[in-house]
Structure formats: structure tokens, C-alpha cells
Amino acid sequence: SSRVVEIQSQMSERAVELLGLPEDRPCLLLDVGCGSGLSGDYISDEGHYWIGMDISPAMLDVAVEREVEGDLLLADVGHGIPFRPGMFDGCISISAVQWLCNADKKSHSPPKRLYRFFSTLYTALARGSRAVLQLYPENSEQLELITAQAMRAGFTGGMVVDYPNSAKAKKFFLCLFVGASGTLPKGLGTECADGEEIHQAKFTNERTRFRNAKGKSVKKSRDWILEKKERRRRQGKEVRADTKYTGRKRRPRF
């Protein structure tokens, strides 16, 4: 329907904007889950080039019929991104990455598929570039699973949430940096009435801050230690106070 097309192209526009591309030259972008090439149309209109990947032959047939300008590849991104290192100046994906969280076959492991996708994507992107993945997460566990695998693959960045207070307009964009960590862009509609900003999820390369695939904190990480101390306190045991040094690694001079 035209409404879907409209929302799709708005999200493509926003994703490309969040890529922060250089204005003085055309870029080559990867469109993950490109479908019938609607995001690609916007990329072409902006004077950039693109290659689209999708798992659906039917959707790609529509893209071919529509004579889109990008090159198209039928592939499952859960098997990895099959392009040479540093080839792309950026990657966008509209409403696709959450599908990697589903195990359609017995052999499918969502964490493994996500890691394969993110690690090969990281390689295929030029240093200093970004990937902006708009997704519809089912729940916070799914967001955490996706984010943790992206960090494990070497990305930094975080979730940009547009219109967080609106049930309808709320949109999640996973904004990932390759190499030099940029500043996370602000989500649209995040200024509250009194000018206060809503805090957004941020993360850095401290990968231990993320829980592992089973939802437990990584062993010996600060979170793990704090949780353990908290359990001991609840059991009425004597526990040292938490400080900024809790869980911090010692310098290797001992």
C-alpha cells in the first residue's frame, strides 16, 4: 500500500541521514534486506550507488521489474556479507535485521547468525564509515542479543530512538561505527517539554558490559561482580562497599 511505501521511504531517508555521508562525492552503499528496492530509489536520488541483498527471490524480481539502479544479490545475510574488505562507504537496512533472531531451521543459531552477519559486515565497510539498521525488535532481550553481537564483531555506537514517546512513530535505528567511534546522533522527538533530553542507549568497546547470549552478565565483568555482591548482601553476608575500582583490571606490573 502507498502508506507502507511512504513509511519505508521516510525510514530510508532517515537511515541515510544517520550515515552522515560526505557531501562532496558519491558513495557506494550496501542495502541489507533491500526488498523491491524502495530504499535504493532514495539512495540513487541522492546521487549514491548501491548494492542490495535480499533473501526473497520474489521481492528481487519486483526490484528488477522496477528497473532499480542498484545491483541485486539473492542471499541470506545470516551466512555473511560476501564482499571484499572495505568496499562500502556505508550500510543501511530497513526492517530486516530482526529476522536474524528467528531460528527457522534446526541448525540455525540466532547468536551465531547475527555474529556472522556483523563480523563480515564490519570487514566489508570502509574504516570510519557507519551502518544504520532500522529494526522492529520484539522485546528488549532481542535488542540486547543484536547489540551484543554487533559489539562482539567490533562495532561501537548505539541505538538511536526516534519519537520514543509515541507508540506509532517510535523507530529504532541501530547506529554502528567502524573504527573511529563517532558521537551517537540524537533521536528525533527526544527533547521533552522542559528541554531535558531522554537518555539513549550508548555503548563503547567495553564488550564485557553486555550480557552474553543466555542473558547472564559476562563472568568476572563489573556487572557480574556487582550482581554477586548484591546477592551476598541479600543473604546477610559481609561485603565490601562498591567503588569505582570494583571489577577493574589491575595494571600488569605485579
Side-chain angles (χ1 to χ4, degrees):
S1 78
S2 65
R3 178 91 189 102
V4 172
V5 170
E6 190 189 325
I7 291 172
Q8 180 93 4
S9 48
Q10 278 170 4
M11 291 193 299
S12 312
E13 205 169 317
R14 178 68 173 138
V16 172
E17 180 190 325
L18 289 168
L19 281 179
L21 298 171
E23 288 173 16
D24 52 352
R25 61 181 177 87
C27 294
L28 176 63
L29 304 182
L30 176 66
D31 185 355
V32 167
C34 63
S36 61
L38 291 172
S39 333
D41 290 346
Y42 179 74
I43 294 171
S44 300
D45 290 347
E46 290 291 288
H48 299 297
Y49 300 97
W50 58 280
I51 296 175
M53 290 178 73
D54 205 283
I55 198 168
S56 158
M59 292 294 270
L60 291 176
D61 286 345
V62 176
V64 170
E65 252 165 66
R66 291 180 58 245
E67 299 187 349
V68 297
E69 289 182 30
D71 290 318
L72 304 166
L73 176 68
L74 175 66
D76 173 359
V77 297
H79 294 157
I81 304 294
F83 292 103
R84 58 189 169 72
M87 179 161 154
F88 295 100
D89 302 306
C91 166
I92 67 162
S93 178
I94 308 298
S95 328
V97 174
Q98 72 272 5
W99 297 112
L100 288 171
C101 295
N102 302 346
D104 304 324
K105 300 193 175 76
K106 268 278 188 283
S107 61
H108 280 183
S109 144
K112 278 197 183 123
R113 283 168 60 72
L114 282 159
Y115 179 67
R116 178 100 189 110
F117 164 63
F118 283 120
S119 55
T120 52
L121 175 62
Y122 189 90
T123 305
L125 285 165
R127 304 303 85 178
S129 65
R130 295 179 188 182
V132 176
L133 316 168
Q134 181 273 325
L135 44 99
Y136 289 110
E138 277 178 21
N139 47 40
S140 57
E141 283 77 35
Q142 210 178 62
L143 269 186
E144 203 158 280
L145 170 68
I146 293 170
T147 307
Q149 296 306 323
M151 297 305 101
R152 211 184 126 210
F155 285 106
T156 57
M159 197 61 70
V160 175
V161 186
D162 282 355
Y163 308 110
N165 302 322
S166 154
K168 259 189 157 155
K170 186 177 188 177
K171 292 286 179 291
F172 292 88
F173 293 87
L174 183 56
C175 191
L176 301 172
F177 304 110
V178 181
S181 185
T183 326
L184 202 59
K186 288 198 173 41
L188 301 175
T190 51
E191 297 281 328
C192 304
D194 52 5
E196 290 241 333
E197 278 179 35
I198 293 165
H199 291 296
Q200 308 216 338
K202 275 200 180 62
F203 38 68
T204 59
N205 252 340
E206 298 172 51
R207 302 191 200 150
T208 48
R209 301 280 302 155
F210 280 89
R211 290 155 183 261
N212 62 22
K214 292 205 178 81
K216 295 193 175 69
S217 292
V218 178
K219 200 164 183 176
K220 298 282 197 290
S221 68
R222 182 178 162 87
D223 288 344
W224 181 84
I225 291 167
L226 292 174
E227 282 162 22
K228 193 163 176 169
K229 287 169 83 171
E230 191 45 49
R231 278 198 302 277
R232 298 233 160 138
R233 278 191 202 100
R234 284 204 299 268
Q235 293 162 355
K237 294 182 176 147
E238 192 99 344
V239 181
R240 281 188 186 175
D242 301 333
T243 70
K244 64 176 183 180
Y245 299 109
T246 303
R248 197 183 265 192
K249 278 212 169 20
R250 290 183 178 226
R251 291 242 173 89
R253 57 163 179 257
F254 291 99

